[in-house]
Amino acid sequence: MGKVISWDKNPTGFSGKTAQGNFQVTVYRSGVLRIQVNQASHFDPNPYSVISAPCSSDFSIVEEDEFILLATEKIRLKLNRINSTFSFYDLSGKLINADDSLGTAWIGTEVTCYKQVQVNEKFIGLGEKTGNLNRFGKAFVNWNTDYFGYGIEDDPLYMSIPFYIGIHGQGAYGIYFDNTHKSVFNFGASTDRFVSFGAEDGDMDYYFIHEPSVSEIISTYTSLTGKMQMPPKWSLGFQQCRYSYYPDKEVTTLAQTFRDKAIPADVIYLDIHHMEEYKVFTFDGIKFPDPKAMIRHLKSLGFRVVVIMDPGIKKQEGYLPYDEGSENGLFIKYPDGQDYIAQVWPGWCAFPDFTKPDTRSWWADKMEFYTKAGVDGFWADMNEPASWGQFTPNLIEFDMDGNPASHRKSRNLYGMLMAKSSNEGSLLHNPAERPFILTRSGFAGIQRYAAAWTGDNQATDEHMLLGVRLVNSLGLSGVSFSGYDVGGFAGESRQNLYARWMSIGAFSPFFRAHTMINSKDAEPWAYGEEVEEISRNYIRLRYQLLPTIYSKIMESTIHGLPISSSLAIDYGQDEIIYQGAFQNQYLFCNTFLVIPVESYKEITKAYLPEGNWYYLYSDEKYTGQQLIYQDCPLSYLPVFVKAGSIFTMQSPVMHTGEKHDGILRIHVYEGADGRFTHYEDDGISWDYQDSVYHKRTMEYNAASGKLILQKASGSYPSEFSKIQVYFHGFQFTSVSLNGEEMPLSSRNYPFLDQLTEFDPLPDSARPYIAIGSLPHIEFDYSDDQLVIS
């Protein structure tokens, strides 16, 4: 950039010129500064990701001989006037982040920002990226790519989120690089001098975020790029998919088998074989002669139906979507105006230009075909966009909402804008219900429109653990609602692998089993009686935990924090959590410490971070900051509960639309203060936005020994008529409710049912764990404040 030539203060910051370019510093809020640098006459921002405008924030600017100093309530920025490098400090003067002396530089159109590496600095996040929790020593490319059966170190994958968090002894910060071109983040690969991020074209445009904690950094990032919408409750249940279930009789048999075997499930997917010759907005008239009747039958069994939608529109005259798109100029084009045509499932296809408002409206309108048939949700696949040959020409042009650009600038946005259009289509035709959109591809801000899954994984232990890291990394990057294909998409899952994967998947935000064509059956009953019972146990546990999961999902729509949380969020200064043996561990619903472990292990090493922890199944108590060896038979995934936790459960149900027994089970764990906000609504409508919900905060004070259920708020009546409170780790002889002594009961409490002894031989005995004599009380549900002492 060279030296600063001139600069001026403005209402939101300051801007100026350097020997080689222009810069602008904008105070978005006290903890967020936007840095823009380019060599053009004007800046070229991305209009699709950041949805918030600069807030009114107090700041001061001081000019010195060598520096321009800007200070907010949280950040002190220092711009070196000699070489135009930026340094960021906290209010106490600690250095949080600084440019290398190279600062921002260009090689042709390629622009890169070079940063110093702080002592023992860790780098986390960056969305859907393979590799380790700590990104240091690796480089990553953001370029949405269709990658079947990707390896555990391969990059790039389907989704690009150019946001990372740096953690070191002086504090933590986040950087979101808001450039949609192919970008590279180098966290010290092949160099000992710097870390860097840059793009092949466009502006250097990044948001620097500094807050006291990693969680606040993530929340601030999502205040910029948006929070997830509240999804329908049914989308949190178990979902079954295959490439593909057909004909219709196979689909109805599948649904009936779930019910006959008493395995809870909410969703069945229809993959590409539901279509006529793989053409979107069609049903195959032979395989599915009466889709409306089939879907009505599935709904009578409590199932929802999600259909796949690929963007490729078959080039075929007489096929209405193609004719309409061609006649109205809705497809991606070459510079001479000819439609871009490439091969994908239906053959030669045109591709809707989702960066064009007319195209998004048209696509949304076409979705009426599915909603009239009774379809509930939509699965946006192949939306990188994918095509055979995997080499989309860069010269094709996109509308970009009236600011035309080539494939180089537009590709990474394509999947997100297809998801946006699909979300709008679902709302257009079913405005009373919350949409469910699942996408494979996306960019920063995708959480506003869709849930995400991690694409075409493999049926291996390594991929099972990689999926956990991918979901945790997406959570670090603002995508709270995500998951992986349980059992593995490519290849054949083994019995033990499927059972272990099912137990881990029960503690994932999005819970779906999926496998590909020409593979063996991959339903919970397809691997023998023992695996079926293990799967049933964990799916049932998932449904019993729905009150907690649903409550935490609501919180995520408010603060943007993940449901599956990397330990780096709460324990980022603990070196041990980054070690390969422990980097897969995570907190689910900020309560359950999940220890993912390979399917072939019967004992594993686990790390318990700071605090006290209870083994979920037995209530055995451990002190934190220690390594332990934990038995992990196939039927018991290692899970621990944080002391001070409060969570809620319900009775088992077969699907989210089935009524439970009316008892809200509250579990409280002694050893620290705790807080939990229980949330209910009708699970489907938008009425909660008008306060038609039921919400109450539960607080446990360890010093006073009191559990306080605050007065409920909202106009939605609770679905529960009674409360049971279970006390874990407590030593007492009496309990009172609002000053009146309550009868105290106890029972042996198993979180998982005992497995059947299928084989009578002695060496085949299966472990069974229950908490002995767990004390609890029961009383009528009341909206008034309740104090339990």
Side-chain angles (χ1 to χ4, degrees):
M1 288 178 66
K3 67 178 182 178
V4 175
I5 303 299
S6 63
W7 72 279
D8 292 294
K9 182 179 178 179
N10 58 57
T12 58
F14 66 99
S15 60
K17 295 183 180 297
T18 74
Q20 299 294 334
N22 311 295
F23 68 86
Q24 182 166 294
V25 177
T26 304
V27 179
Y28 251 68
R29 56 201 64 191
S30 60
V32 181
L33 301 181
R34 183 183 187 183
I35 310 297
Q36 293 171 276
V37 176
N38 73 3
Q39 292 184 307
S41 59
H42 63 278
F43 293 107
D44 185 22
N46 161 28
Y48 299 106
S49 294
V50 173
I51 59 172
S52 66
C55 299
S56 178
S57 298
D58 290 335
F59 64 90
S60 62
I61 296 179
V62 176
E63 182 178 17
E64 297 181 351
D65 289 341
E66 293 187 11
F67 301 100
I68 301 170
L69 307 175
L70 181 149
T72 73
E73 295 176 354
K74 293 182 179 178
I75 302 174
R76 291 179 179 174
L77 169 68
K78 182 184 290 187
L79 171 58
N80 187 317
R81 300 177 66 174
I82 306 302
N83 59 9
S84 298
T85 57
F86 294 93
S87 301
F88 303 85
Y89 301 81
D90 68 11
L91 294 188
S92 67
K94 293 179 181 177
L95 179 64
I96 303 300
N97 176 266
D99 288 353
D100 180 87
S101 59
L102 297 169
T104 296
W106 293 267
I107 304 173
T109 63
E110 179 182 291
V111 61
T112 303
C113 182
Y114 300 91
K115 294 285 188 181
Q116 298 175 14
V117 183
Q118 305 306 311
V119 175
N120 202 25
E121 187 166 7
K122 312 291 192 303
F123 303 94
I124 61 174
L126 210 64
E128 189 185 58
K129 294 298 178 187
T130 59
N132 294 321
L133 168 61
N134 180 11
R135 307 298 189 187
F136 185 72
K138 298 286 187 179
F140 301 89
V141 175
N142 288 309
W143 188 243
N144 293 350
T145 301
D146 173 19
Y147 201 150
F148 172 78
Y150 53 90
I152 61 171
E153 295 286 343
D154 288 346
D155 182 70
L157 299 183
Y158 310 90
M159 186 173 292
S160 298
I161 304 178
F163 169 67
Y164 76 90
I165 298 170
I167 302 172
H168 53 78
Q170 303 278 69
Y173 65 90
I175 287 179
Y176 166 52
F177 180 33
D178 196 15
N179 184 315
T180 64
H181 290 85
K182 180 186 289 185
S183 61
V184 175
F185 283 68
N186 185 340
F187 297 110
S190 302
T191 177
D192 66 351
R193 177 172 173 175
F194 53 73
V195 299
S196 66
F197 54 92
E200 63 179 17
D201 206 338
D203 295 349
M204 175 52 58
D205 185 354
Y206 70 91
Y207 295 78
F208 180 86
I209 303 170
H210 174 60
E211 299 286 354
S213 66
V214 173
S215 61
E216 289 169 283
I217 290 169
I218 296 171
S219 187
T220 299
Y221 165 75
T222 58
S223 72
L224 293 173
T225 59
K227 309 287 198 295
M228 66 177 289
Q229 295 177 325
M230 191 66 184
K233 186 182 287 187
W234 58 260
S235 66
L236 300 176
F238 179 66
Q239 310 187 26
Q240 184 67 47
C241 187
R242 180 181 178 83
Y243 166 39
S244 296
Y245 289 118
Y246 66 92
D248 54 356
K249 291 182 176 59
E250 182 176 4
V251 178
T252 54
T253 299
L254 172 75
Q256 191 61 53
T257 305
F258 270 103
R259 297 297 178 244
D260 291 345
K261 290 181 173 289
I263 299 175
D266 264 86
V267 183
I268 291 175
Y269 283 70
L270 301 180
D271 209 320
I272 61 173
H273 288 91
H274 83 271
M275 305 177 198
E276 176 190 308
E277 299 177 344
Y278 311 125
K279 293 182 292 187
V280 69
F281 308 123
T282 68
F283 275 101
D284 186 306
I286 297 175
K287 299 185 183 78
F288 296 91
D290 192 348
K292 291 183 180 180
M294 179 194 72
I295 292 172
R296 280 197 304 270
H297 177 67
L298 294 175
K299 290 190 174 186
S300 74
L301 297 175
F303 282 94
R304 302 282 181 158
V305 175
V306 175
V307 296
I308 195 169
M309 296 192 303
D310 292 343
I313 303 293
K314 184 176 179 64
K315 184 182 179 182
Q316 181 183 69
E317 291 186 9
Y319 170 43
L320 187 59
Y322 175 74
D323 291 343
E324 291 175 345
S326 180
E327 291 169 8
N328 294 292
L330 304 179
F331 297 140
I332 299 168
K333 299 182 181 301
Y334 288 103
D336 61 6
Q338 183 174 324
D339 289 341
Y340 166 63
I341 305 295
Q343 279 186 303
V344 71
W345 297 117
W348 291 104
C349 291
F351 294 81
D353 181 359
F354 289 108
T355 74
K356 187 173 187 175
D358 288 348
T359 303
R360 294 197 295 269
S361 297
W362 166 79
W363 180 270
D365 185 64
K366 299 305 295 182
M367 288 170 59
E368 184 181 22
F369 173 82
Y370 288 124
T371 55
K372 277 188 171 181
V375 169
D376 300 282
F378 302 91
W379 172 20
D381 195 15
M382 305 292 283
N383 56 338
E384 290 73 33
S387 62
W388 307 156
Q390 296 279 40
F391 202 84
T392 306
N394 275 338
L395 84 165
I396 60 174
E397 291 188 344
F398 296 73
D399 180 76
M400 295 289 280
D401 282 76
N403 297 286
S406 75
H407 176 252
R408 294 199 312 158
K409 184 177 181 180
S410 310
R411 179 181 182 86
N412 282 339
L413 291 166
Y414 190 83
M416 181 170 79
L417 294 177
M418 180 183 176
K420 171 182 167 67
S421 179
S422 301
N423 187 292
E424 291 168 349
S426 182
L427 283 170
L428 176 66
H429 303 296
N430 197 1
E433 295 189 4
R434 306 169 207 165
F436 173 70
I437 310 297
L438 179 66
T439 186
R440 189 169 76 175
S441 182
F443 193 72
I446 184 61
Q447 67 271 10
R448 303 197 302 268
Y449 309 118
W453 100 104
T454 60
D456 299 340
N457 61 357
Q458 299 182 42
T460 66
D461 282 278
E462 294 79 10
H463 259 267
M464 178 176 67
L465 298 183
L466 171 62
V468 169
R469 293 198 301 280
L470 289 173
V471 166
N472 292 348
S473 185
L474 284 165
L476 289 167
S477 310
V479 182
S480 300
F481 197 10
S482 67
Y484 32 74
D485 287 342
V486 170
F489 180 71
E492 304 278 2
S493 186
R494 295 171 289 101
Q495 290 176 308
N496 284 14
L497 176 60
Y498 187 90
R500 183 72 85 197
W501 215 327
M502 189 65 74
S503 66
I504 296 172
F507 295 93
S508 172
F510 174 68
F511 187 20
R512 182 183 79 159
H514 187 31
T515 192
M516 71 175 295
I517 199 168
N518 290 324
S519 66
K520 296 176 182 176
D521 289 350
E523 295 73 45
W525 53 84
Y527 296 90
E529 292 86 350
E530 182 180 0
V531 174
E532 179 182 327
E533 288 205 355
I534 292 172
S535 299
R536 181 187 295 108
N537 265 352
Y538 278 96
I539 296 173
R540 279 166 56 93
L541 179 59
R542 165 75 171 214
Y543 278 76
Q544 290 174 273
L545 286 171
L546 276 176
T548 293
I549 298 170
Y550 197 64
S551 298
K552 291 297 183 180
I553 286 280
M554 169 49 76
E555 287 186 13
S556 186
T557 69
I558 298 169
H559 54 53
L561 293 179
I563 310 303
S564 290
S565 303
S566 165
L567 296 187
I569 294 178
D570 289 339
Y571 310 98
Q573 298 293 346
D574 190 332
E575 294 287 331
I576 296 177
I577 69 162
Y578 299 100
Q579 294 180 12
F582 312 115
Q583 65 177 345
N584 301 314
Q585 298 181 184
Y586 64 97
L587 281 174
F588 185 66
C589 293
N590 204 39
T591 296
F592 304 97
L593 176 62
V594 181
I595 316 292
V597 59
E598 295 89 342
S599 63
Y600 50 82
K601 287 185 177 178
E602 295 188 357
I603 188 169
T604 190
K605 189 162 59 171
Y607 176 65
L608 304 180
E610 183 181 6
N612 293 313
W613 302 88
Y614 292 81
Y615 184 53
L616 174 66
Y617 311 105
S618 69
D619 264 4
E620 184 176 357
K621 190 175 181 180
Y622 296 84
T623 56
Q625 292 188 302
Q626 69 160 321
L627 303 178
I628 66 169
Y629 286 90
Q630 177 62 50
D631 290 337
C632 53
L634 197 59
S635 53
Y636 284 97
L637 175 73
V639 178
F640 295 82
V641 180
K642 184 166 55 175
S645 290
I646 304 170
F647 64 87
T648 51
M649 297 181 71
Q650 65 184 23
S651 63
V653 291
M654 288 299 101
H655 56 87
T656 55
E658 184 176 84
K659 289 186 177 181
H660 48 66
D661 66 3
I663 302 173
L664 181 66
R665 295 152 175 88
I666 302 173
H667 292 260
V668 187
Y669 288 76
E670 196 277 332
D673 293 345
R675 181 186 178 95
F676 173 77
T677 299
H678 173 72
Y679 177 83
E680 301 174 45
D681 61 27
D682 63 17
I684 192 68
S685 79
W686 300 99
D687 291 351
Y688 72 92
Q689 295 179 338
D690 296 318
S691 298
V692 186
Y693 56 71
H694 184 88
K695 184 189 296 186
R696 74 186 311 162
T697 298
M698 306 175 185
E699 294 179 297
Y700 171 64
N701 183 283
S704 66
K706 290 184 178 180
L707 172 67
I708 301 176
L709 278 58
Q710 302 287 3
K711 181 179 174 63
S713 62
S715 61
Y716 185 78
S718 176
E719 298 172 359
F720 297 95
S721 58
K722 289 187 177 297
I723 291 176
Q724 290 178 350
V725 181
Y726 290 86
F727 301 94
H728 298 261
F730 287 81
Q731 301 294 327
F732 53 72
T733 56
S734 66
V735 177
S736 66
L737 174 64
N738 287 350
E740 295 185 13
E741 189 165 337
M742 295 288 293
L744 188 63
S745 304
S746 64
R747 55 170 288 206
N748 292 340
Y749 192 97
F751 277 98
L752 299 173
D753 289 343
Q754 186 170 9
L755 298 183
T756 304
E757 295 294 344
F758 299 105
D759 188 340
L761 293 175
D763 61 358
S764 68
R766 303 290 183 262
Y768 175 62
I769 307 174
I771 301 168
S773 300
L774 182 63
H776 66 277
I777 59 174
E778 179 175 313
F779 50 90
D780 290 337
Y781 196 98
S782 170
D783 290 348
D784 295 331
Q785 176 174 289
L786 302 170
V787 180
I788 300 168
S789 303

